[in-house]
Amino acid sequence: MSELKKLTGDIISRLKSAKRIAALTGAGVSAESGAPTFRGEEGLWNNYRAEDLATPEAFERDPALVWRWYDWRRNLIAPLKPNPGHNALAMFEKMFENFTLVTQNVDGLHRVAGSENPVEMHGNIWLTRCLRDGTVKENRETPLKEIPPRCSDCGAMVRPHIVWFGESLDPAVISRAFKAAQGAEVFFVIGTSGVVQPAASLAGLAKNNGATVIEINLEPTPLSYQVDATLLGPSGRILPEIVSVIKG
Ligand code: BJW
């Protein structure tokens, strides 16, 4: 059965008439492009300890180790292309009057697909932040010539402009994400395990404010019990099908 049969007539008419739509994406959306997810059998956290690589304490202890890991990931992500899931979400921006894309992904693939102003909750792997004055700069050098890299203005060490465990998210970014979830008539939650806060709370926030919530994932998640429909399958296949339903 096509997973889209799980969308009732009510959900489809809501989808077709809605003016305010939002979506939260996670690593699963980039999996079909070749980017590893974090959890699950092939996930990054299966081979690397998050505490050793994605915390401010780890960076303080051994910045070169953390940067080597990011250099490896940047090399892996650099040649990747957006997949049909990214492309469908970029089309949502054109199809709906008001569409906000919120992503936990740091790979930048939504922008490459054409999404204009995604809310990047956890930062971006192609940005660095100067440890002396906080200046954020684009850095696309792969592989990095110097590890750890230095600020081209003042020579101080820079860090990845990424939100690590235990760090607060940028208040302006949280505010955009929360507003989008609160105001959405339809909220999609796609390719995320739904365990990392505060991103995972957006689906419940949308639901409590009256949104119809549609989840797309390969498998049920802790969020599945609070959504209106869980469509099981790859987002690169299901999202283009949803575009066709809306257009049809
Ligand atoms: C497919 C697919 C396909 C595969 N199609 N689907 C409240 C309660 C408990 C703890 C906390 C809390 N509030 C805050 C915390 C602490 C912590 C947290 O949430 N911990 C939990 C893990 C327990 N949160 C934080 O520290 C955050 N900061 C914060 O809240 O500050 C204030 C505060 C601090 C401390 C205490 C209280 C308040 C910051 C979180 C930063 C997360 N950063 C990371 C790493 C960045 C490093 C990097 O990328 O370089 O961000 S963790 C990692 O997980 C990464 C991701 O963005 C994030 C989410 O992962 P995601 O995207 O869901 O990926 P996966 O792999 O988990 O799932 C993939 C899914 O896709 C799976 O479901 C597959 O089935 C599916 N899939 N292929 C569709 N083709």
Side-chain angles (χ1 to χ4, degrees):
M1 158 179 124
S2 157
E3 281 296 299
L4 262 60
K5 292 217 172 99
K6 289 183 183 164
L7 299 180
T8 61
D10 279 357
I11 296 181
I12 290 177
S13 26
R14 189 127 210 241
L15 201 46
K16 287 184 169 183
S17 65
K19 303 230 172 332
R20 293 181 313 282
I21 312 256
L24 169 71
T25 64
V29 167
S30 292
E32 289 158 78
S33 293
T37 59
F38 291 91
R39 295 164 188 85
E41 260 174 49
E42 306 285 320
L44 288 169
W45 296 155
N46 229 11
N47 294 311
Y48 303 92
R49 280 160 42 95
E51 313 76 305
D52 292 343
L53 297 163
T55 63
E57 294 78 18
F59 188 73
E60 210 166 297
R61 213 167 34 237
D62 195 343
L65 173 79
V66 173
W67 262 117
R68 277 198 297 276
W69 188 61
Y70 277 97
D71 191 36
W72 170 73
R73 281 181 59 208
R74 284 159 57 104
N75 280 296
L76 198 149
I77 292 168
L80 302 185
K81 303 268 180 296
N83 66 59
H86 294 109
N87 297 338
L89 288 163
M91 281 179 81
F92 276 16
E93 218 163 77
K94 299 190 171 61
M95 289 162 61
F96 297 113
E97 213 169 287
N98 181 332
F99 175 70
T100 306
L101 178 62
V102 181
T103 186
Q104 298 167 86
N105 298 346
V106 300
D107 55 34
L109 287 173
H110 283 303
R111 286 181 197 271
V112 181
S115 291
E116 285 197 1
N117 195 12
V119 182
E120 293 177 318
M121 289 190 90
H122 296 160
N124 187 305
I125 202 162
W126 302 112
L127 298 176
T128 60
R129 192 161 80 236
C130 174
L131 292 180
R132 184 170 295 155
D133 66 8
T135 309
V136 174
K137 281 200 187 128
E138 188 173 25
N139 173 331
R140 292 203 168 254
E141 190 179 82
T142 46
L144 288 163
K145 286 198 194 80
E146 185 187 16
I147 288 183
R150 308 232 150 233
C151 175
S152 51
D153 288 339
C154 71
M157 200 196 295
V158 296
R159 59 164 278 177
H161 188 52
I162 280 186
V163 184
W164 288 322
F165 282 115
E167 291 189 311
S168 298
L169 282 73
D170 178 341
V173 165
I174 295 198
S175 160
R176 269 188 78 203
F178 277 44
K179 263 192 203 143
Q182 266 162 345
E185 294 160 80
V186 178
F187 188 83
F188 287 94
V189 51
I190 311 162
T192 176
S193 55
V195 296
V196 173
Q197 297 294 348
S201 67
L202 292 176
L205 184 66
K207 181 81 188 146
N208 292 338
N209 282 276
T212 299
V213 181
I214 302 169
E215 179 180 45
I216 302 171
N217 201 303
L218 294 182
E219 58 190 26
T221 73
L223 301 177
S224 301
Y225 78 94
Q226 46 180 311
V227 306
D228 294 278
T230 294
L231 309 180
L232 294 176
S235 48
R237 191 191 77 218
I238 292 182
L239 281 165
E241 286 176 9
I242 290 179
V243 169
S244 303
V245 165
I246 297 166
K247 282 184 168 169

PDB file of all heavy atoms in Angstrom, residues 8-45:
ATOM      1  N   THR A   8      -5.748  10.900   5.511  1.00  0.00           N
ATOM      2  CA  THR A   8      -7.204  10.911   5.355  1.00  0.00           C
ATOM      3  C   THR A   8      -7.616  12.089   4.454  1.00  0.00           C
ATOM      4  O   THR A   8      -6.818  13.008   4.214  1.00  0.00           O
ATOM      5  CB  THR A   8      -7.879  11.117   6.721  1.00  0.00           C
ATOM      6  OG1 THR A   8      -7.437  12.393   7.222  1.00  0.00           O
ATOM      7  CG2 THR A   8      -7.516  10.025   7.712  1.00  0.00           C
ATOM      8  N   GLY A   9      -8.856  12.052   3.996  1.00  0.00           N
ATOM      9  CA  GLY A   9      -9.379  13.156   3.175  1.00  0.00           C
ATOM     10  C   GLY A   9      -9.237  14.481   3.909  1.00  0.00           C
ATOM     11  O   GLY A   9      -8.895  15.517   3.304  1.00  0.00           O
ATOM     12  N   ASP A  10      -9.485  14.455   5.223  1.00  0.00           N
ATOM     13  CA  ASP A  10      -9.380  15.691   6.024  1.00  0.00           C
ATOM     14  C   ASP A  10      -7.955  16.237   5.998  1.00  0.00           C
ATOM     15  O   ASP A  10      -7.734  17.437   5.855  1.00  0.00           O
ATOM     16  CB  ASP A  10      -9.741  15.410   7.489  1.00  0.00           C
ATOM     17  CG  ASP A  10     -11.241  15.398   7.680  1.00  0.00           C
ATOM     18  OD1 ASP A  10     -11.953  15.671   6.694  1.00  0.00           O
ATOM     19  OD2 ASP A  10     -11.694  15.112   8.815  1.00  0.00           O
ATOM     20  N   ILE A  11      -6.987  15.323   6.149  1.00  0.00           N
ATOM     21  CA  ILE A  11      -5.580  15.770   6.177  1.00  0.00           C
ATOM     22  C   ILE A  11      -5.206  16.351   4.805  1.00  0.00           C
ATOM     23  O   ILE A  11      -4.576  17.408   4.710  1.00  0.00           O
ATOM     24  CB  ILE A  11      -4.621  14.614   6.563  1.00  0.00           C
ATOM     25  CG1 ILE A  11      -4.902  14.140   7.991  1.00  0.00           C
ATOM     26  CG2 ILE A  11      -3.161  15.057   6.428  1.00  0.00           C
ATOM     27  CD1 ILE A  11      -3.995  13.018   8.496  1.00  0.00           C
ATOM     28  N   ILE A  12      -5.654  15.684   3.747  1.00  0.00           N
ATOM     29  CA  ILE A  12      -5.299  16.169   2.406  1.00  0.00           C
ATOM     30  C   ILE A  12      -5.943  17.525   2.138  1.00  0.00           C
ATOM     31  O   ILE A  12      -5.282  18.442   1.622  1.00  0.00           O
ATOM     32  CB  ILE A  12      -5.668  15.132   1.325  1.00  0.00           C
ATOM     33  CG1 ILE A  12      -4.706  13.945   1.478  1.00  0.00           C
ATOM     34  CG2 ILE A  12      -5.548  15.724  -0.081  1.00  0.00           C
ATOM     35  CD1 ILE A  12      -4.930  12.793   0.556  1.00  0.00           C
ATOM     36  N   SER A  13      -7.220  17.694   2.535  1.00  0.00           N
ATOM     37  CA  SER A  13      -7.805  19.031   2.260  1.00  0.00           C
ATOM     38  C   SER A  13      -7.122  20.103   3.111  1.00  0.00           C
ATOM     39  O   SER A  13      -6.943  21.231   2.658  1.00  0.00           O
ATOM     40  CB  SER A  13      -9.332  19.096   2.413  1.00  0.00           C
ATOM     41  OG  SER A  13      -9.785  18.156   3.275  1.00  0.00           O
ATOM     42  N   ARG A  14      -6.716  19.751   4.323  1.00  0.00           N
ATOM     43  CA  ARG A  14      -5.991  20.724   5.151  1.00  0.00           C
ATOM     44  C   ARG A  14      -4.673  21.112   4.467  1.00  0.00           C
ATOM     45  O   ARG A  14      -4.304  22.283   4.396  1.00  0.00           O
ATOM     46  CB  ARG A  14      -5.709  20.106   6.529  1.00  0.00           C
ATOM     47  CG  ARG A  14      -5.151  21.072   7.532  1.00  0.00           C
ATOM     48  CD  ARG A  14      -5.960  21.077   8.825  1.00  0.00           C
ATOM     49  NE  ARG A  14      -5.933  22.376   9.479  1.00  0.00           N
ATOM     50  CZ  ARG A  14      -5.443  22.591  10.689  1.00  0.00           C
ATOM     51  NH1 ARG A  14      -4.960  21.612  11.405  1.00  0.00           N
ATOM     52  NH2 ARG A  14      -5.466  23.802  11.196  1.00  0.00           N
ATOM     53  N   LEU A  15      -4.008  20.100   3.936  1.00  0.00           N
ATOM     54  CA  LEU A  15      -2.723  20.317   3.264  1.00  0.00           C
ATOM     55  C   LEU A  15      -2.899  21.222   2.046  1.00  0.00           C
ATOM     56  O   LEU A  15      -2.078  22.089   1.763  1.00  0.00           O
ATOM     57  CB  LEU A  15      -2.190  18.944   2.836  1.00  0.00           C
ATOM     58  CG  LEU A  15      -0.721  18.722   2.557  1.00  0.00           C
ATOM     59  CD1 LEU A  15       0.145  19.345   3.633  1.00  0.00           C
ATOM     60  CD2 LEU A  15      -0.473  17.215   2.499  1.00  0.00           C
ATOM     61  N   LYS A  16      -4.010  21.019   1.334  1.00  0.00           N
ATOM     62  CA  LYS A  16      -4.228  21.807   0.118  1.00  0.00           C
ATOM     63  C   LYS A  16      -4.650  23.234   0.417  1.00  0.00           C
ATOM     64  O   LYS A  16      -4.411  24.141  -0.375  1.00  0.00           O
ATOM     65  CB  LYS A  16      -5.279  21.131  -0.763  1.00  0.00           C
ATOM     66  CG  LYS A  16      -4.745  19.883  -1.446  1.00  0.00           C
ATOM     67  CD  LYS A  16      -5.778  19.307  -2.388  1.00  0.00           C
ATOM     68  CE  LYS A  16      -5.138  18.236  -3.268  1.00  0.00           C
ATOM     69  NZ  LYS A  16      -6.051  17.693  -4.239  1.00  0.00           N
ATOM     70  N   SER A  17      -5.328  23.433   1.565  1.00  0.00           N
ATOM     71  CA  SER A  17      -5.851  24.786   1.833  1.00  0.00           C
ATOM     72  C   SER A  17      -4.951  25.584   2.789  1.00  0.00           C
ATOM     73  O   SER A  17      -5.115  26.795   2.923  1.00  0.00           O
ATOM     74  CB  SER A  17      -7.264  24.693   2.432  1.00  0.00           C
ATOM     75  OG  SER A  17      -7.163  24.069   3.692  1.00  0.00           O
ATOM     76  N   ALA A  18      -3.994  24.909   3.416  1.00  0.00           N
ATOM     77  CA  ALA A  18      -3.206  25.587   4.462  1.00  0.00           C
ATOM     78  C   ALA A  18      -2.369  26.722   3.889  1.00  0.00           C
ATOM     79  O   ALA A  18      -1.854  26.646   2.773  1.00  0.00           O
ATOM     80  CB  ALA A  18      -2.287  24.572   5.140  1.00  0.00           C
ATOM     81  N   LYS A  19      -2.264  27.778   4.673  1.00  0.00           N
ATOM     82  CA  LYS A  19      -1.431  28.924   4.273  1.00  0.00           C
ATOM     83  C   LYS A  19      -0.096  28.900   5.026  1.00  0.00           C
ATOM     84  O   LYS A  19       0.907  29.368   4.521  1.00  0.00           O
ATOM     85  CB  LYS A  19      -2.155  30.235   4.587  1.00  0.00           C
ATOM     86  CG  LYS A  19      -3.528  30.373   3.938  1.00  0.00           C
ATOM     87  CD  LYS A  19      -3.646  31.694   3.216  1.00  0.00           C
ATOM     88  CE  LYS A  19      -4.894  31.859   2.371  1.00  0.00           C
ATOM     89  NZ  LYS A  19      -5.492  30.639   1.840  1.00  0.00           N
ATOM     90  N   ARG A  20      -0.155  28.381   6.252  1.00  0.00           N
ATOM     91  CA  ARG A  20       1.089  28.360   7.044  1.00  0.00           C
ATOM     92  C   ARG A  20       1.523  26.904   7.298  1.00  0.00           C
ATOM     93  O   ARG A  20       0.822  26.150   7.974  1.00  0.00           O
ATOM     94  CB  ARG A  20       0.880  29.082   8.378  1.00  0.00           C
ATOM     95  CG  ARG A  20       0.646  30.588   8.221  1.00  0.00           C
ATOM     96  CD  ARG A  20       0.476  31.243   9.572  1.00  0.00           C
ATOM     97  NE  ARG A  20      -0.448  30.507  10.427  1.00  0.00           N
ATOM     98  CZ  ARG A  20      -1.759  30.542  10.327  1.00  0.00           C
ATOM     99  NH1 ARG A  20      -2.343  31.308   9.436  1.00  0.00           N
ATOM    100  NH2 ARG A  20      -2.514  29.835  11.145  1.00  0.00           N
ATOM    101  N   ILE A  21       2.646  26.566   6.707  1.00  0.00           N
ATOM    102  CA  ILE A  21       3.172  25.201   6.829  1.00  0.00           C
ATOM    103  C   ILE A  21       4.596  25.310   7.362  1.00  0.00           C
ATOM    104  O   ILE A  21       5.308  26.270   7.043  1.00  0.00           O
ATOM    105  CB  ILE A  21       3.245  24.522   5.442  1.00  0.00           C
ATOM    106  CG1 ILE A  21       1.961  24.710   4.674  1.00  0.00           C
ATOM    107  CG2 ILE A  21       3.683  23.082   5.540  1.00  0.00           C
ATOM    108  CD1 ILE A  21       1.050  23.544   4.598  1.00  0.00           C
ATOM    109  N   ALA A  22       4.993  24.336   8.159  1.00  0.00           N
ATOM    110  CA  ALA A  22       6.394  24.301   8.600  1.00  0.00           C
ATOM    111  C   ALA A  22       6.864  22.849   8.605  1.00  0.00           C
ATOM    112  O   ALA A  22       6.041  21.926   8.656  1.00  0.00           O
ATOM    113  CB  ALA A  22       6.535  24.915   9.997  1.00  0.00           C
ATOM    114  N   ALA A  23       8.169  22.672   8.514  1.00  0.00           N
ATOM    115  CA  ALA A  23       8.734  21.319   8.554  1.00  0.00           C
ATOM    116  C   ALA A  23      10.003  21.337   9.386  1.00  0.00           C
ATOM    117  O   ALA A  23      10.779  22.288   9.323  1.00  0.00           O
ATOM    118  CB  ALA A  23       9.040  20.835   7.138  1.00  0.00           C
ATOM    119  N   LEU A  24      10.177  20.265  10.161  1.00  0.00           N
ATOM    120  CA  LEU A  24      11.441  20.053  10.886  1.00  0.00           C
ATOM    121  C   LEU A  24      12.128  18.859  10.238  1.00  0.00           C
ATOM    122  O   LEU A  24      11.525  17.806  10.089  1.00  0.00           O
ATOM    123  CB  LEU A  24      11.162  19.728  12.360  1.00  0.00           C
ATOM    124  CG  LEU A  24      12.389  19.228  13.143  1.00  0.00           C
ATOM    125  CD1 LEU A  24      13.379  20.365  13.382  1.00  0.00           C
ATOM    126  CD2 LEU A  24      11.972  18.614  14.486  1.00  0.00           C
ATOM    127  N   THR A  25      13.380  19.048   9.829  1.00  0.00           N
ATOM    128  CA  THR A  25      14.097  17.911   9.249  1.00  0.00           C
ATOM    129  C   THR A  25      15.272  17.493  10.135  1.00  0.00           C
ATOM    130  O   THR A  25      15.781  18.282  10.933  1.00  0.00           O
ATOM    131  CB  THR A  25      14.639  18.227   7.832  1.00  0.00           C
ATOM    132  OG1 THR A  25      15.620  19.266   7.909  1.00  0.00           O
ATOM    133  CG2 THR A  25      13.531  18.630   6.889  1.00  0.00           C
ATOM    134  N   GLY A  26      15.667  16.234   9.936  1.00  0.00           N
ATOM    135  CA  GLY A  26      16.823  15.702  10.650  1.00  0.00           C
ATOM    136  C   GLY A  26      17.719  14.932   9.684  1.00  0.00           C
ATOM    137  O   GLY A  26      17.491  14.937   8.464  1.00  0.00           O
ATOM    138  N   ALA A  27      18.702  14.254  10.247  1.00  0.00           N
ATOM    139  CA  ALA A  27      19.748  13.613   9.444  1.00  0.00           C
ATOM    140  C   ALA A  27      19.197  12.638   8.398  1.00  0.00           C
ATOM    141  O   ALA A  27      19.820  12.436   7.355  1.00  0.00           O
ATOM    142  CB  ALA A  27      20.717  12.887  10.370  1.00  0.00           C
ATOM    143  N   GLY A  28      18.012  12.047   8.660  1.00  0.00           N
ATOM    144  CA  GLY A  28      17.441  11.084   7.713  1.00  0.00           C
ATOM    145  C   GLY A  28      17.195  11.689   6.342  1.00  0.00           C
ATOM    146  O   GLY A  28      17.259  10.985   5.329  1.00  0.00           O
ATOM    147  N   VAL A  29      16.919  12.997   6.296  1.00  0.00           N
ATOM    148  CA  VAL A  29      16.637  13.653   5.005  1.00  0.00           C
ATOM    149  C   VAL A  29      17.893  13.669   4.126  1.00  0.00           C
ATOM    150  O   VAL A  29      17.806  13.613   2.907  1.00  0.00           O
ATOM    151  CB  VAL A  29      16.064  15.075   5.235  1.00  0.00           C
ATOM    152  CG1 VAL A  29      16.048  15.887   3.966  1.00  0.00           C
ATOM    153  CG2 VAL A  29      14.660  14.970   5.802  1.00  0.00           C
ATOM    154  N   SER A  30      19.070  13.719   4.760  1.00  0.00           N
ATOM    155  CA  SER A  30      20.314  13.741   3.976  1.00  0.00           C
ATOM    156  C   SER A  30      20.891  12.348   3.763  1.00  0.00           C
ATOM    157  O   SER A  30      21.883  12.204   3.042  1.00  0.00           O
ATOM    158  CB  SER A  30      21.356  14.628   4.672  1.00  0.00           C
ATOM    159  OG  SER A  30      20.957  15.984   4.625  1.00  0.00           O
ATOM    160  N   ALA A  31      20.275  11.333   4.385  1.00  0.00           N
ATOM    161  CA  ALA A  31      20.842   9.973   4.296  1.00  0.00           C
ATOM    162  C   ALA A  31      20.892   9.493   2.845  1.00  0.00           C
ATOM    163  O   ALA A  31      21.873   8.884   2.417  1.00  0.00           O
ATOM    164  CB  ALA A  31      20.023   9.012   5.156  1.00  0.00           C
ATOM    165  N   GLU A  32      19.833   9.804   2.080  1.00  0.00           N
ATOM    166  CA  GLU A  32      19.819   9.339   0.681  1.00  0.00           C
ATOM    167  C   GLU A  32      20.806  10.108  -0.199  1.00  0.00           C
ATOM    168  O   GLU A  32      21.051   9.727  -1.341  1.00  0.00           O
ATOM    169  CB  GLU A  32      18.401   9.439   0.108  1.00  0.00           C
ATOM    170  CG  GLU A  32      17.469   8.406   0.715  1.00  0.00           C
ATOM    171  CD  GLU A  32      16.010   8.817   0.589  1.00  0.00           C
ATOM    172  OE1 GLU A  32      15.462   8.669  -0.504  1.00  0.00           O
ATOM    173  OE2 GLU A  32      15.443   9.315   1.593  1.00  0.00           O
ATOM    174  N   SER A  33      21.371  11.178   0.333  1.00  0.00           N
ATOM    175  CA  SER A  33      22.445  11.884  -0.397  1.00  0.00           C
ATOM    176  C   SER A  33      23.800  11.271  -0.070  1.00  0.00           C
ATOM    177  O   SER A  33      24.803  11.627  -0.689  1.00  0.00           O
ATOM    178  CB  SER A  33      22.465  13.367  -0.003  1.00  0.00           C
ATOM    179  OG  SER A  33      21.311  14.018  -0.453  1.00  0.00           O
ATOM    180  N   GLY A  34      23.831  10.424   0.978  1.00  0.00           N
ATOM    181  CA  GLY A  34      25.091   9.779   1.359  1.00  0.00           C
ATOM    182  C   GLY A  34      25.682  10.292   2.664  1.00  0.00           C
ATOM    183  O   GLY A  34      26.799   9.900   3.012  1.00  0.00           O
ATOM    184  N   ALA A  35      24.958  11.150   3.381  1.00  0.00           N
ATOM    185  CA  ALA A  35      25.471  11.651   4.667  1.00  0.00           C
ATOM    186  C   ALA A  35      25.056  10.691   5.778  1.00  0.00           C
ATOM    187  O   ALA A  35      23.884  10.317   5.854  1.00  0.00           O
ATOM    188  CB  ALA A  35      24.921  13.049   4.946  1.00  0.00           C
ATOM    189  N   PRO A  36      25.985  10.297   6.641  1.00  0.00           N
ATOM    190  CA  PRO A  36      25.601   9.369   7.711  1.00  0.00           C
ATOM    191  C   PRO A  36      24.665  10.028   8.726  1.00  0.00           C
ATOM    192  O   PRO A  36      24.790  11.228   8.977  1.00  0.00           O
ATOM    193  CB  PRO A  36      26.932   8.994   8.376  1.00  0.00           C
ATOM    194  CG  PRO A  36      27.946   9.966   7.893  1.00  0.00           C
ATOM    195  CD  PRO A  36      27.411  10.643   6.670  1.00  0.00           C
ATOM    196  N   THR A  37      23.750   9.249   9.284  1.00  0.00           N
ATOM    197  CA  THR A  37      22.907   9.758  10.369  1.00  0.00           C
ATOM    198  C   THR A  37      23.717   9.639  11.671  1.00  0.00           C
ATOM    199  O   THR A  37      24.872   9.206  11.648  1.00  0.00           O
ATOM    200  CB  THR A  37      21.592   8.958  10.479  1.00  0.00           C
ATOM    201  OG1 THR A  37      21.925   7.601  10.721  1.00  0.00           O
ATOM    202  CG2 THR A  37      20.751   9.087   9.216  1.00  0.00           C
ATOM    203  N   PHE A  38      23.109  10.030  12.782  1.00  0.00           N
ATOM    204  CA  PHE A  38      23.818   9.984  14.070  1.00  0.00           C
ATOM    205  C   PHE A  38      23.549   8.692  14.826  1.00  0.00           C
ATOM    206  O   PHE A  38      24.445   8.082  15.389  1.00  0.00           O
ATOM    207  CB  PHE A  38      23.425  11.183  14.947  1.00  0.00           C
ATOM    208  CG  PHE A  38      23.958  12.461  14.393  1.00  0.00           C
ATOM    209  CD1 PHE A  38      23.201  13.222  13.513  1.00  0.00           C
ATOM    210  CD2 PHE A  38      25.232  12.888  14.704  1.00  0.00           C
ATOM    211  CE1 PHE A  38      23.704  14.381  12.966  1.00  0.00           C
ATOM    212  CE2 PHE A  38      25.749  14.052  14.160  1.00  0.00           C
ATOM    213  CZ  PHE A  38      24.973  14.810  13.290  1.00  0.00           C
ATOM    214  N   ARG A  39      22.253   8.296  14.835  1.00  0.00           N
ATOM    215  CA  ARG A  39      21.868   7.125  15.623  1.00  0.00           C
ATOM    216  C   ARG A  39      21.538   5.961  14.683  1.00  0.00           C
ATOM    217  O   ARG A  39      21.480   6.151  13.476  1.00  0.00           O
ATOM    218  CB  ARG A  39      20.688   7.498  16.533  1.00  0.00           C
ATOM    219  CG  ARG A  39      21.151   8.549  17.551  1.00  0.00           C
ATOM    220  CD  ARG A  39      20.069   9.298  18.274  1.00  0.00           C
ATOM    221  NE  ARG A  39      20.699  10.381  19.039  1.00  0.00           N
ATOM    222  CZ  ARG A  39      20.994  11.583  18.513  1.00  0.00           C
ATOM    223  NH1 ARG A  39      20.664  11.866  17.265  1.00  0.00           N
ATOM    224  NH2 ARG A  39      21.595  12.502  19.249  1.00  0.00           N
ATOM    225  N   GLY A  40      21.337   4.790  15.248  1.00  0.00           N
ATOM    226  CA  GLY A  40      21.053   3.621  14.411  1.00  0.00           C
ATOM    227  C   GLY A  40      22.353   2.900  14.063  1.00  0.00           C
ATOM    228  O   GLY A  40      23.442   3.384  14.361  1.00  0.00           O
ATOM    229  N   GLU A  41      22.190   1.736  13.405  1.00  0.00           N
ATOM    230  CA  GLU A  41      23.331   0.833  13.164  1.00  0.00           C
ATOM    231  C   GLU A  41      24.513   1.484  12.460  1.00  0.00           C
ATOM    232  O   GLU A  41      25.660   1.264  12.799  1.00  0.00           O
ATOM    233  CB  GLU A  41      22.863  -0.354  12.314  1.00  0.00           C
ATOM    234  CG  GLU A  41      22.596  -1.592  13.147  1.00  0.00           C
ATOM    235  CD  GLU A  41      21.999  -2.695  12.316  1.00  0.00           C
ATOM    236  OE1 GLU A  41      22.545  -2.994  11.239  1.00  0.00           O
ATOM    237  OE2 GLU A  41      20.966  -3.250  12.761  1.00  0.00           O
ATOM    238  N   GLU A  42      24.204   2.307  11.447  1.00  0.00           N
ATOM    239  CA  GLU A  42      25.286   2.930  10.670  1.00  0.00           C
ATOM    240  C   GLU A  42      25.582   4.338  11.162  1.00  0.00           C
ATOM    241  O   GLU A  42      26.315   5.088  10.522  1.00  0.00           O
ATOM    242  CB  GLU A  42      24.875   3.016   9.180  1.00  0.00           C
ATOM    243  CG  GLU A  42      24.439   1.716   8.551  1.00  0.00           C
ATOM    244  CD  GLU A  42      25.612   0.803   8.260  1.00  0.00           C
ATOM    245  OE1 GLU A  42      26.654   1.301   7.830  1.00  0.00           O
ATOM    246  OE2 GLU A  42      25.481  -0.414   8.516  1.00  0.00           O
ATOM    247  N   GLY A  43      24.975   4.727  12.290  1.00  0.00           N
ATOM    248  CA  GLY A  43      25.060   6.116  12.749  1.00  0.00           C
ATOM    249  C   GLY A  43      26.437   6.503  13.275  1.00  0.00           C
ATOM    250  O   GLY A  43      27.213   5.651  13.742  1.00  0.00           O
ATOM    251  N   LEU A  44      26.729   7.804  13.206  1.00  0.00           N
ATOM    252  CA  LEU A  44      28.027   8.306  13.673  1.00  0.00           C
ATOM    253  C   LEU A  44      28.267   7.964  15.142  1.00  0.00           C
ATOM    254  O   LEU A  44      29.379   7.622  15.531  1.00  0.00           O
ATOM    255  CB  LEU A  44      28.086   9.831  13.495  1.00  0.00           C
ATOM    256  CG  LEU A  44      28.204  10.352  12.061  1.00  0.00           C
ATOM    257  CD1 LEU A  44      27.982  11.861  12.027  1.00  0.00           C
ATOM    258  CD2 LEU A  44      29.580  10.010  11.493  1.00  0.00           C
ATOM    259  N   TRP A  45      27.190   8.047  15.946  1.00  0.00           N
ATOM    260  CA  TRP A  45      27.386   7.807  17.385  1.00  0.00           C
ATOM    261  C   TRP A  45      27.602   6.325  17.709  1.00  0.00           C
ATOM    262  O   TRP A  45      27.789   5.953  18.853  1.00  0.00           O
ATOM    263  CB  TRP A  45      26.213   8.355  18.218  1.00  0.00           C
ATOM    264  CG  TRP A  45      26.002   9.842  18.203  1.00  0.00           C
ATOM    265  CD1 TRP A  45      24.808  10.472  18.445  1.00  0.00           C
ATOM    266  CD2 TRP A  45      26.960  10.912  17.990  1.00  0.00           C
ATOM    267  NE1 TRP A  45      24.964  11.841  18.370  1.00  0.00           N
ATOM    268  CE2 TRP A  45      26.272  12.134  18.084  1.00  0.00           C
ATOM    269  CE3 TRP A  45      28.323  10.947  17.705  1.00  0.00           C
ATOM    270  CZ2 TRP A  45      26.888  13.387  17.915  1.00  0.00           C
ATOM    271  CZ3 TRP A  45      28.958  12.184  17.533  1.00  0.00           C
ATOM    272  CH2 TRP A  45      28.240  13.368  17.643  1.00  0.00           C
TER     273      TRP A  45
END
